[in-house]
Amino acid sequence: MLCRAITGNMEKYELVAGFETHVELATDTKIFCGCTTKFGGEPNTHTCPVCTGMPGALPRINRKAVEYTIMAGLATNGKINNLSKMDRKNYFYPDLPKAYQVSQFERPLSIGGYIELDSGKRIRINHIHLEEDAGKLVHKGGKTYIDYNRGGVPLMEIVSEPDIRSIEEGIEYLEKLQMIMRYIGVSDCKMQEGSMRCDVNISVRPAGSEEFGIRSEIKNMNSFAHIAKAMEYEYNRKVDAAENGEILPQETRRYNETTGETEGMRTKEDAHDYRYFLEPDLVPMKISDEEIENIKNTLPQLPAERIKRYISEYGLSDVDAKNIAKYKNVADFFEGAAELVKNPKTVSNMIITQIFSSLGTEEEKEACRLKITPKQLSELINLLDAGEINSSTAKKALSKMLETGKSAEEVIPKDQMGGLSDEELNKLVQEAVSQCQPAVNDYLAGKEKAIKAVVGYVMKQSRGKADAAKAEQMIIEMVKK
């Protein structure tokens, strides 16, 4: 969780924030034409007369984009409108060649809903609407260039209520929202590629007041760290103004990554400034209850539900359950292996330690492309639980399996198979305590690391077959009697 230092008087002034989160949908083609939505490409090569607004070009709505938006509404506890329509939002800006954006205003696809935080607090969602993305402005050498490749990509806007009261609440809300969108497969939500961006609306008010203060909208934030810093700066700026009796205007601002400050762009528009009206080139959309129910049945079990199940059904800790459930493909892999072993905790331990280390980045964890199958991991764990191998051998074997894709029996040398019985291990422990008295005395005198020499004796005499952790515990219990 990202935490920021707020210098303003939190007891005297309350932060009030709401987010407009833009999520690019993972469709193959754009919202109103057949151009590809693939990220990258030479500027202005993923375009056609429709998405560049040429005269006479008519749009045709992408049904998959509508379906994805309905899925997002259902996954965030919203109510789907049976009758929805597209509207024209009129404004002039260079990245919008038509001088209007096809969006939704009066009848968005989803109304209401919420995201529940770990504290139990619910951040309410006002609505989710579907619209077309704009092009991208590229500033170089004092000149501005326009790339329309992104123009017309289906964009879903998730508008929260102003329920956020701290930076920590805001970041948690966004993290959970991102996780849900990835889980249901409607977007990859890669902030570095712009497929998830946030407009942060923020104001302050005297503590205990019910009236909202004058808000600022910080546009196009694409990093949790930058969002946290921008909220921190803006809160402190507004508190300073209030303390000095200064009245700030309602305005749109940008975040300067170099200075860590927000900067004014223009005065903030209200809805009436956009002159919304029904999009004449697209008919309203009728969505039956049956269609909504069919889409609902395609949704996977969501992260919050999985976390609860992993704790109750598999006995995982809250922290481990959250780490596993954070990535859908990892969670699917975990469940596949956990069903085939006696102790699912061992599966989660191996995933969180070794497998996560092999994956490295967040993107690699999200994809979870492993050379081994859940069944192969379960076979390794069953050998460990049966005492056929020790934990050290299991760790080395898993590393080789992840590198090669081979099974446990293929990578474990035969002379390391067949572990020690409790009786055999107990006999070796007694022998080690007898033969390593100086090390035992040092341990009893407070030198805890001395116990490793006694464990080393057991491992040497057993030719590595003994379980080192189990041997150490038995040695400690024996010498302390």
Side-chain angles (χ1 to χ4, degrees):
M1 180 67 66
L2 293 164
C3 298
R4 304 304 311 167
I6 284 181
T7 58
N9 190 338
M10 289 294 289
E11 294 181 358
K12 189 174 179 182
Y13 296 98
E14 181 179 52
L15 178 150
V16 178
F19 292 159
E20 297 170 20
T21 308
H22 301 83
V23 176
E24 285 188 352
L25 297 174
T27 56
D28 293 328
T29 57
K30 293 185 180 182
I31 187 170
F32 300 128
C33 66
C35 291
T36 180
T37 57
K38 188 175 181 181
F39 179 75
E42 289 296 314
N44 299 306
T45 57
H46 299 169
T47 59
C48 73
V50 174
C51 57
T52 54
M54 295 293 121
L58 293 175
R60 184 176 180 180
I61 200 158
N62 186 327
R63 291 180 64 88
K64 181 60 72 172
V66 175
E67 180 182 325
Y68 279 173
T69 306
I70 293 172
M71 288 173 68
L74 293 171
T76 53
N77 309 290
K79 183 183 184 303
I80 307 305
N81 263 328
N82 293 110
L83 180 63
S84 184
K85 67 183 181 69
M86 305 303 294
D87 300 294
R88 283 192 184 181
K89 179 181 181 181
N90 298 273
Y91 67 94
F92 177 77
Y93 204 65
D95 60 6
L96 202 65
K98 293 180 290 192
Y100 65 86
Q101 180 188 37
V102 179
S103 181
Q104 292 191 295
F105 181 57
E106 289 183 337
R107 285 185 172 272
L109 280 163
S110 179
I111 295 289
Y114 61 87
I115 297 290
E116 187 168 310
L117 306 183
D118 288 345
S119 65
K121 178 178 178 177
R122 292 179 175 180
I123 305 300
R124 293 171 298 156
I125 292 172
N126 180 282
H127 74 272
I128 301 176
H129 70 258
L130 179 62
E131 63 187 20
E132 60 180 335
D133 207 346
K136 182 179 180 180
L137 300 182
V138 181
H139 307 283
K140 285 184 179 180
K143 296 182 179 179
T144 299
Y145 302 88
I146 306 175
D147 179 6
Y148 287 124
N149 281 352
R150 195 177 68 186
V153 169
L155 192 68
M156 181 171 63
E157 184 169 339
I158 304 168
V159 181
S160 84
E161 297 286 4
D163 290 346
I164 294 163
R165 296 293 176 268
S166 70
I167 294 171
E168 292 76 20
E169 283 187 357
I171 299 303
E172 184 183 351
Y173 164 81
L174 289 176
E175 288 176 340
K176 289 185 181 298
L177 190 62
Q178 183 186 59
M179 194 187 310
I180 290 171
M181 295 305 112
R182 286 175 170 171
Y183 246 76
I184 63 177
V186 301
S187 176
D188 58 23
C189 290
K190 292 180 180 178
M191 299 189 78
Q192 71 276 15
E193 294 184 3
S195 56
M196 179 174 170
R197 316 188 292 274
C198 297
D199 297 341
V200 179
N201 290 280
I202 184 170
S203 64
V204 299
R205 64 185 178 188
S209 173
E210 294 297 322
E211 293 185 16
F212 292 123
I214 296 173
R215 68 187 170 103
S216 300
E217 182 181 28
I218 311 168
K219 296 289 285 185
N220 290 325
M221 305 288 291
N222 65 348
S223 157
F224 290 152
H226 291 162
I227 290 169
K229 290 177 182 177
M231 290 179 72
E232 173 196 356
Y233 177 83
E234 195 64 15
Y235 173 84
N236 291 329
R237 185 180 78 92
K238 289 181 179 296
V239 169
D240 288 344
E243 291 285 89
N244 294 321
E246 180 184 358
I247 299 176
L248 298 175
Q250 178 173 299
E251 63 179 344
T252 298
R253 299 176 70 83
R254 67 163 65 89
Y255 176 70
N256 187 319
E257 297 175 17
T258 304
T259 64
E261 300 176 352
T262 65
E263 302 168 344
M265 293 172 61
R266 58 182 181 270
T267 55
K268 177 74 181 112
E269 303 89 348
D270 287 314
H272 63 264
D273 295 318
Y274 293 119
R275 295 181 293 113
Y276 283 98
F277 64 86
L278 175 67
E279 168 55 54
D281 292 333
L282 292 165
V283 298
M285 295 172 282
K286 290 185 178 180
I287 306 158
S288 68
D289 290 337
E290 183 181 4
E291 287 176 296
I292 295 170
E293 190 64 27
N294 288 338
I295 293 173
K296 186 176 183 179
N297 290 336
T298 67
L299 294 176
Q301 187 175 45
L302 298 176
E305 296 165 340
R306 274 190 163 178
I307 290 167
K308 291 177 183 177
R309 182 162 61 85
Y310 291 170
I311 293 171
S312 62
E313 187 175 325
Y314 295 126
L316 302 191
S317 68
D318 181 68
V319 173
D320 287 351
K322 286 177 179 176
N323 280 330
I324 294 292
K326 183 177 180 181
Y327 312 97
K328 182 180 182 298
N329 290 333
V330 170
D332 291 342
F333 184 92
F334 164 75
E335 291 188 19
E339 292 174 356
L340 303 173
V341 301
K342 292 181 180 179
N343 188 2
K345 288 184 180 180
T346 308
V347 180
S348 70
N349 288 340
M350 287 188 171
I351 290 175
I352 292 169
T353 54
Q354 281 185 268
I355 292 180
F356 274 3
S357 295
S358 73
L359 293 172
T361 67
E362 290 291 297
E363 190 172 343
E364 288 173 338
K365 289 173 185 174
E366 192 68 42
C368 193
R369 296 188 182 95
L370 300 175
K371 291 183 178 180
I372 64 170
T373 65
K375 186 174 185 295
Q376 285 175 304
L377 180 61
S378 71
E379 288 170 351
L380 175 66
I381 291 171
N382 286 333
L383 288 174
L384 178 63
D385 289 344
E388 291 295 317
I389 57 173
N390 59 35
S391 56
S392 176
T393 300
K395 185 176 181 180
K396 292 176 183 177
L398 181 55
S399 294
K400 290 181 181 178
M401 290 167 65
L402 291 170
E403 288 176 8
T404 64
K406 293 181 178 180
S407 68
E409 292 190 354
E410 287 178 300
V411 300
I412 300 173
K414 290 184 178 180
D415 62 356
Q416 291 182 24
M417 294 286 285
L420 299 180
S421 66
D422 287 347
E423 185 179 345
E424 290 172 320
L425 181 57
N426 187 60
K427 184 177 179 181
L428 272 179
V429 166
Q430 290 179 354
E431 183 182 322
V433 170
S434 174
Q435 294 296 320
C436 304
Q437 272 301 313
V440 171
N441 292 335
D442 286 344
Y443 173 76
L444 293 174
K447 298 179 180 179
E448 293 188 358
K449 289 185 178 179
I451 202 72
K452 300 300 181 184
V454 190
V455 176
Y457 181 93
V458 173
M459 298 308 294
K460 183 178 180 181
Q461 296 302 313
S462 68
R463 296 180 181 178
K465 289 188 176 183
D467 187 311
K470 190 174 182 180
E472 182 173 336
Q473 187 60 37
M474 290 176 70
I475 292 167
I476 292 170
E477 291 174 358
M478 189 173 291
V479 301
K480 284 189 173 181
K481 284 183 178 179

